[in-house]
Amino acid sequence: MSDPPLVGILVGSESDRGRMQGAFDELEARGIGYEFDVCSAHRQPDALAEYCRTARERGLKVLICGAGLSAALPGVAAAHTDLPVIGVPLRSSLSVLDGLDALLAIAQMPPGVPVAAVGVDNARNAAVLAARILGA
């Protein structure tokens, strides 16, 4: 993207990249710059914390986090930034609840650690919400 990134898109595993394509497409169609990174809340907690703590100074305004199963990524991200965080619950072949577990995990953040949630596997809606937050 030639536009400076305003939205950071994170997933915990490279295998989740494809399910986030709707967000990439939507942001590109709207001319909103974004960056993408793989950073696991469980396997790389320090790297994730650093990414989120420095997001604002890098010019980011919104974070979109795709996560399945326990879906810790959006909540951990929100714990380390004051930027808006949008969680995208993702289906997983390991899930016995077909993504409902991730949806509930994202929606049930503790007071003071808000995370917006969109529908299961609905990365496009996350991008639309990010655009609305940005006023774009």
Side-chain angles (χ1 to χ4, degrees):
M1 298 242 38
S2 58
D3 296 324
L6 297 177
V7 177
I9 300 175
L10 294 169
V11 294
S13 173
E14 182 62 39
S15 63
D16 294 330
R17 179 190 295 259
R19 287 207 258 4
M20 299 304 288
Q21 190 63 48
F24 306 148
D25 294 344
E26 186 68 30
L27 292 172
E28 288 171 10
R30 292 170 179 260
I32 299 171
Y34 66 89
E35 63 183 34
F36 173 81
D37 203 357
V38 177
C39 200
S40 170
H42 297 107
R43 293 180 292 276
Q44 302 159 298
D46 294 336
L48 175 60
E50 180 67 14
Y51 179 93
C52 294
R53 279 194 297 265
T54 61
R56 183 179 294 282
E57 63 194 57
R58 291 193 322 276
L60 298 180
K61 306 289 186 203
V62 181
L63 299 180
I64 296 173
C65 300
L69 298 173
S70 69
L73 184 65
V76 173
H80 291 286
T81 187
D82 62 352
L83 295 176
V85 176
I86 304 167
V88 180
L90 301 176
R91 285 186 171 89
S92 167
S93 61
L94 300 174
S95 171
V96 296
L97 297 175
D98 198 32
L100 179 60
D101 46 354
L103 175 63
L104 294 174
I106 292 169
Q108 294 296 320
M109 289 295 108
V113 187
V115 175
V118 295
V120 175
D121 285 341
N122 201 337
R124 179 176 179 233
N125 267 3
V128 171
L129 181 54
R132 288 181 179 184
I133 290 169
L134 294 169

